[in-house]
Amino acid sequence: MALTTEQRVRRAAVKLFATKGFHGTGIRDLAQSAKISSASLYHYMGTKEDLLVGIMRECLDRLLLAARQTLETVDDPAGALSALVTLHVMAHAAQPDETRVVDHEVGALSRSARRDIVALRDEYEAIWADTIAAGVAAGVFDAPDPAVTRLALLEMCTGVARWYSPRGPLPLDRLAARYAQLALRMLDCPASPGAGAAERAREVAARVWRTRP
Amino acid sequence: MALTTEQRVRRAAVKLFATKGFHGTGIRDLAQSAKISSASLYHYMGTKEDLLVGIMRECLDRLLLAARQTLETVDDPAGALSALVTLHVMAHAAQPDETRVVDHEVGALSRSARRDIVALRDEYEAIWADTIAAGVAAGVFDAPDPAVTRLALLEMCTGVARWYSPRGPLPLDRLAARYAQLALRMLDCPASPGAGAAERAREVAARVWRTRP
Amino acid sequence: MALTTEQRVRRAAVKLFATKGFHGTGIRDLAQSAKISSASLYHYMGTKEDLLVGIMRECLDRLLLAARQTLETVDDPAGALSALVTLHVMAHAAQPDETRVVDHEVGALSRSARRDIVALRDEYEAIWADTIAAGVAAGVFDAPDPAVTRLALLEMCTGVARWYSPRGPLPLDRLAARYAQLALRMLDCPASPGAGAAERAREVAARVWRTRP
Amino acid sequence: MALTTEQRVRRAAVKLFATKGFHGTGIRDLAQSAKISSASLYHYMGTKEDLLVGIMRECLDRLLLAARQTLETVDDPAGALSALVTLHVMAHAAQPDETRVVDHEVGALSRSARRDIVALRDEYEAIWADTIAAGVAAGVFDAPDPAVTRLALLEMCTGVARWYSPRGPLPLDRLAARYAQLALRMLDCPASPGAGAAERAREVAARVWRTRP
DNA sequence: TATGAATGAGGATTCATTCAT
DNA sequence: CATGAATGAATCCTCATTCAT
């Protein structure tokens, strides 16, 4: 089915913001990319910033939703962390442009918009913090500085969006599995998590980002 | 001692490019920040892009230099990797603005400048690749997909520039040690590296970035 | 009874043109104010300028009509001038927005429209000129420079639209009477005009602008 | 002597704002009129609104200054009012563009700027109010509704800017004298004021607006 | 009758850069 | 060495208007 003009605009914005940055992307670039006039653009968006905020919010909303849905059915910390990593990596590999925008353009937001977006991001990171803390409390994770470990994990996984290509040699699920393994090693967690957790994460990812299950 | 005007310009640029992005930073911002008129700016730089290239090149040059100097005296793979991580983390924590610019603004470069900068970056990453390969060959590292592991390591360490604050609770050397530990865990490397490697890295860092040894 | 859409448009235009000026009022402002889409607006008006012309013409037509009807039954110059002042003041107090538009936005008209509108205005002012001339000829007015006196009178009376508020302390008929007095003083006219003239003016005003008689 | 670019800009703005209105005047019109590029315009002004505010403030400042200087040496109410009228009329005839801008474009100001400008205008009008009140108290003026009389007087005199032309038949000082006479008649003031007051007003006007004395 | 979609022209303002002084 | 003056091109966004539905 054909795309709505609004969708075309959104996609053009995502691609351009990811590639050239928010400030590096002109309204004319956007218009040309969406195949409409720059005046028409304003039927489908408010400000250029509104467009940015919309992209960021949707991306973070999905990430939050996916994380919550996944953790609902996972109990053990190793499984939970494994699932979070799987989700995060799949999201960043499946939507590298969206996630790059979220990660790189927070500084381009106005004060009030930034507050909102950062709040969402913090909410998401809190899930990771809780999961790590639970594993440490349960004695299955070793993390002398849990905050540092959390940030190291997140940056490592987020980085996928900066280099992963679907045309590369590594299938997505294998990549995700590799990252889950790395993450558990970082926490010195010997137990392989039940396969269910990662499985569950892949299902949710398939639903939320239409990745191949 | 007072700063040269050229240094003031350079610093202003680093700070602004890191904070607001290359395209988000105007020549007037730069001038104001360097306490100089925008016309005078052009006595101390070529183009705005030249300034950017200069910043990036210096940053990468130092990183390369530091990595090479350090590895000169380190032989074992665990020690080498540990040293690379230490250096990289210290560089990114000590110069978060410079390194953020390097990491975020490659896309703002013109084709030819980008080629140069990316070449430098590749050169640097090749050192990591070699180190990892050596460890795998020696049987002390486990890395089923070495390229993935390398990228995961680099993104993890580079991420430090996005969150580390010298006013935080963690002293820099402790942070670096923690990251080295994480890295070795990721490679499933049991052996603690000789303390000499990290020591050597700290010395080099002190010289190159004036971090406290 | 409910207002026609056309009336809503007209009123919105009058209010906005008076408040923000013709050039300061956007087609979208108009649409929003008339609770209609900006495209629908074009069913009820021609151009934005047509709307302006319509407002001006109606306002001036009424003024002319009222002046002529009033003077039909008034003979003495003092009475005539008194009636003109009464009418003018009541019109400008009762319809401050319309009259402000007429007075302020002539410069926004295209050449041909301006010619028409200015012709109407001149026609109206000619009535004043004639009335003053008649009084001077009859020896009841003293006006060394009749044109100056006419302009002074008109500007004085027109100014009412710029400050009068129906919520102020002064009832409209009292205001009009005060202005009539001022006008006669300016002409050094001792005779109080017959009460009939002002009475007649108030009746006409009541019919033309629905002021309370 | 040749005019500064800044002066050229100011004059162009005054002329255009008076003729086509603030919103009707484009930045390009201004630039063309001042014979510079539209970008260069911004070396000599802040915003378009700043330009407007500057014009208004200077105009009102001069009016206030002139009024105060004049009244310093005038004591009797008739003389004072006569002087105020003379000044006001001369100012509006000598600077019709500036004063038209002040009178017509207050609505184009942003909230805060409007507050400032209206405060100045109120200050000026207070001088008139005081003068009228003094005359009434002294028994030389008859003004049943002093506020109404003040507004009628001001509107009458201000109107001069809307029609007076230096190429017309009436010399400026004669016009001013005529208006002073009209004003005193409006207040039913029999006494001719001492010739000194109007003389003084003309001197001040000559200094402030370079009118011919 | 009513409107969402569409646009070329233009709105004010800022851009990076040059150059004469 | 330093800068005020200058500008063409570009910035984001709004303008009045049309038209197919």
Side-chain angles (χ1 to χ4, degrees):
Chain A
M1 80 195 136
L3 285 105
T4 310
T5 306
E6 196 170 1
Q7 287 172 323
R8 281 212 319 279
V9 169
R10 173 69 72 104
R11 294 203 183 183
V14 166
K15 178 59 76 182
L16 287 169
F17 290 171
T19 308
K20 315 172 53 173
F22 178 75
H23 288 303
T25 301
I27 232 72
R28 284 162 179 81
D29 298 327
L30 268 169
Q32 189 174 1
S33 205
K35 292 180 209 300
I36 47 173
S37 79
S38 64
S40 298
L41 219 48
Y42 286 85
H43 269 280
Y44 300 97
M45 61 176 218
T47 326
K48 203 180 124 188
E49 197 195 354
D50 290 341
L51 197 52
L52 176 60
V53 172
I55 291 166
M56 288 181 159
R57 200 187 303 276
E58 190 194 320
C59 188
L60 284 168
D61 278 345
R62 286 197 195 185
L63 213 47
L64 259 172
L65 177 75
R68 285 181 177 140
Q69 285 187 354
T70 304
L71 293 192
E72 269 170 14
T73 64
V74 178
D75 268 339
D76 64 310
L81 189 83
S82 178
L84 282 178
V85 168
T86 300
L87 269 181
H88 196 96
V89 166
M90 291 185 89
H92 281 70
Q95 302 205 306
D97 291 331
E98 283 83 350
T99 48
R100 284 186 57 154
V101 171
V102 171
D103 291 328
H104 286 39
E105 302 296 343
V106 172
L109 295 170
S110 66
R111 194 118 56 193
S112 77
R114 177 149 61 229
R115 212 177 15 243
D116 292 357
I117 293 299
V118 169
L120 279 178
R121 199 186 59 184
D122 288 348
E123 218 174 320
Y124 176 69
E125 296 201 9
I127 296 178
W128 284 65
D130 291 347
T131 301
I132 294 170
V136 170
V140 294
F141 292 167
D142 174 59
D145 298 298
V148 169
T149 305
R150 182 188 82 242
L151 290 162
L153 277 168
L154 276 165
E155 292 290 347
M156 174 181 88
C157 297
T158 295
V160 165
R162 279 187 283 269
W163 62 263
Y164 178 79
S165 159
R167 280 179 299 283
L170 211 61
L172 185 44
D173 56 353
R174 168 108 167 275
L175 176 74
R178 184 68 62 225
Y179 265 77
Q181 181 191 36
L182 288 172
L184 292 176
R185 282 183 175 176
M186 288 165 74
L187 290 159
D188 200 24
C189 176
S192 318
E199 175 65 20
R200 166 77 175 160
R202 277 198 296 275
E203 281 167 23
V204 170
R207 204 172 340 107
V208 174
W209 296 286
R210 292 169 213 274
T211 54
R212 247 173 286 145
Chain B
M1 81 196 130
L3 284 100
T4 311
T5 306
E6 196 169 1
Q7 288 173 322
R8 281 214 320 280
V9 170
R10 174 69 72 102
R11 295 206 181 182
V14 165
K15 179 57 78 183
L16 287 168
F17 289 170
T19 308
K20 316 173 49 172
F22 178 74
H23 289 302
T25 301
I27 230 72
R28 282 163 180 77
D29 298 325
L30 270 169
Q32 188 176 1
S33 208
K35 293 180 207 302
I36 212 180
S37 83
S38 65
S40 299
L41 218 49
Y42 284 83
H43 278 277
Y44 299 97
M45 63 175 213
T47 324
K48 200 181 135 191
E49 197 194 355
D50 291 341
L51 197 51
L52 176 61
V53 172
I55 291 167
M56 287 181 160
R57 199 188 305 274
E58 190 193 321
C59 187
L60 283 168
D61 278 345
R62 286 198 196 184
L63 212 48
L64 259 172
L65 178 74
R68 286 180 176 140
Q69 285 187 353
T70 305
L71 294 192
E72 271 170 12
T73 65
V74 178
D75 268 339
D76 63 311
L81 189 83
S82 179
L84 283 179
V85 168
T86 301
L87 270 181
H88 196 96
V89 166
M90 292 186 87
H92 282 70
Q95 302 204 305
D97 291 330
E98 283 83 350
T99 50
R100 286 186 57 154
V101 170
V102 171
D103 291 328
H104 286 38
E105 302 296 343
V106 173
L109 294 169
S110 67
R111 194 120 54 196
S112 76
R114 178 150 59 230
R115 214 178 12 247
D116 292 358
I117 294 298
V118 168
L120 279 178
R121 197 185 59 184
D122 288 349
E123 219 175 319
Y124 176 70
E125 296 200 11
I127 297 178
W128 284 65
D130 291 347
T131 302
I132 293 170
V136 170
V140 294
F141 292 168
D142 175 58
D145 298 297
V148 170
T149 305
R150 183 189 81 241
L151 290 161
L153 277 168
L154 275 165
E155 292 290 347
M156 176 181 86
C157 296
T158 296
V160 165
R162 278 187 284 269
W163 62 261
Y164 179 78
S165 159
R167 281 178 298 283
L170 211 62
L172 185 46
D173 57 351
R174 168 109 167 275
L175 176 74
R178 185 67 63 223
Y179 265 75
Q181 180 190 37
L182 288 172
L184 292 175
R185 282 182 175 179
M186 287 166 74
L187 290 159
D188 200 24
C189 177
S192 309
E199 175 63 21
R200 167 74 177 160
R202 278 198 296 274
E203 281 167 23
V204 171
R207 204 172 341 108
V208 175
W209 297 286
R210 291 167 214 275
T211 53
R212 247 172 283 145
Chain C
M1 79 194 134
L3 284 102
T4 310
T5 307
E6 196 169 1
Q7 287 172 324
R8 282 215 318 280
V9 170
R10 174 69 71 102
R11 296 207 180 179
V14 166
K15 179 57 77 183
L16 287 168
F17 290 170
T19 309
K20 315 171 51 171
F22 177 74
H23 288 302
T25 301
I27 230 71
R28 284 163 179 77
D29 298 326
L30 270 169
Q32 188 176 2
S33 208
K35 292 181 208 302
I36 214 181
S37 83
S38 66
S40 299
L41 218 49
Y42 284 83
H43 279 276
Y44 300 96
M45 62 175 215
T47 322
K48 200 181 133 190
E49 197 194 357
D50 291 341
L51 197 52
L52 176 61
V53 172
I55 290 166
M56 287 180 160
R57 199 187 304 275
E58 190 193 321
C59 188
L60 283 168
D61 278 345
R62 286 197 196 185
L63 212 48
L64 259 171
L65 177 75
R68 286 184 176 137
Q69 284 188 354
T70 304
L71 293 192
E72 270 170 15
T73 65
V74 177
D75 267 339
D76 63 310
L81 190 82
S82 179
L84 283 179
V85 169
T86 301
L87 270 182
H88 197 95
V89 166
M90 292 186 88
H92 281 70
Q95 303 204 303
D97 291 331
E98 282 85 350
T99 49
R100 284 186 58 155
V101 171
V102 171
D103 291 328
H104 286 38
E105 302 296 342
V106 172
L109 294 170
S110 66
R111 192 121 53 195
S112 76
R114 176 150 60 229
R115 215 180 9 247
D116 293 357
I117 293 299
V118 168
L120 280 177
R121 198 186 59 185
D122 287 348
E123 218 175 319
Y124 176 70
E125 296 201 10
I127 296 178
W128 284 65
D130 291 347
T131 301
I132 293 170
V136 169
V140 294
F141 292 167
D142 174 58
D145 298 296
V148 170
T149 306
R150 182 188 82 242
L151 290 161
L153 278 168
L154 276 165
E155 292 291 348
M156 175 182 88
C157 296
T158 296
V160 166
R162 278 187 284 269
W163 62 263
Y164 179 77
S165 159
R167 282 179 297 284
L170 211 60
L172 185 45
D173 56 353
R174 168 109 165 274
L175 176 74
R178 185 67 62 225
Y179 265 75
Q181 182 191 36
L182 288 172
L184 292 175
R185 282 183 175 177
M186 287 165 75
L187 289 158
D188 200 24
C189 177
S192 315
E199 175 64 23
R200 167 76 176 161
R202 278 198 294 275
E203 281 167 22
V204 171
R207 203 169 345 105
V208 175
W209 296 287
R210 292 168 213 275
T211 54
R212 247 174 284 147
Chain D
M1 82 196 130
L3 284 104
T4 312
T5 306
E6 195 169 3
Q7 286 172 324
R8 281 212 321 278
V9 169
R10 173 68 73 105
R11 295 205 180 180
V14 165
K15 179 58 77 181
L16 287 169
F17 289 171
T19 309
K20 315 173 52 172
F22 178 75
H23 288 304
T25 301
I27 231 71
R28 285 163 179 81
D29 298 327
L30 268 169
Q32 190 174 2
S33 206
K35 293 181 208 302
I36 47 173
S37 79
S38 62
S40 297
L41 219 47
Y42 285 83
H43 269 279
Y44 300 97
M45 62 176 216
T47 327
K48 203 181 125 188
E49 197 195 355
D50 291 341
L51 197 52
L52 176 61
V53 171
I55 291 166
M56 288 182 159
R57 198 187 304 276
E58 189 193 321
C59 187
L60 283 168
D61 278 345
R62 285 198 197 184
L63 212 48
L64 259 171
L65 177 75
R68 286 183 176 139
Q69 284 188 354
T70 303
L71 293 191
E72 270 171 13
T73 63
V74 178
D75 268 339
D76 63 311
L81 189 81
S82 179
L84 283 179
V85 168
T86 300
L87 270 182
H88 196 95
V89 166
M90 292 185 89
H92 282 69
Q95 302 204 304
D97 291 331
E98 283 83 351
T99 49
R100 285 186 57 154
V101 170
V102 172
D103 290 329
H104 286 38
E105 302 296 342
V106 172
L109 294 170
S110 66
R111 194 117 56 195
S112 78
R114 179 150 58 230
R115 214 179 11 248
D116 292 357
I117 293 299
V118 168
L120 279 178
R121 200 186 58 185
D122 288 348
E123 218 174 320
Y124 177 69
E125 296 200 8
I127 296 178
W128 283 65
D130 291 348
T131 301
I132 293 170
V136 170
V140 295
F141 292 167
D142 174 56
D145 297 297
V148 169
T149 305
R150 183 188 82 242
L151 290 161
L153 278 168
L154 276 165
E155 292 290 348
M156 175 181 88
C157 296
T158 296
V160 165
R162 279 187 283 269
W163 61 263
Y164 178 78
S165 159
R167 281 178 298 282
L170 211 60
L172 185 45
D173 55 353
R174 170 107 167 276
L175 176 75
R178 186 65 63 223
Y179 265 77
Q181 181 191 35
L182 288 172
L184 292 176
R185 282 183 176 178
M186 288 166 73
L187 290 160
D188 201 23
C189 177
S192 312
E199 175 65 21
R200 166 77 175 160
R202 278 197 296 276
E203 282 167 21
V204 171
R207 205 174 336 109
V208 175
W209 296 287
R210 291 167 213 274
T211 55
R212 247 174 286 146

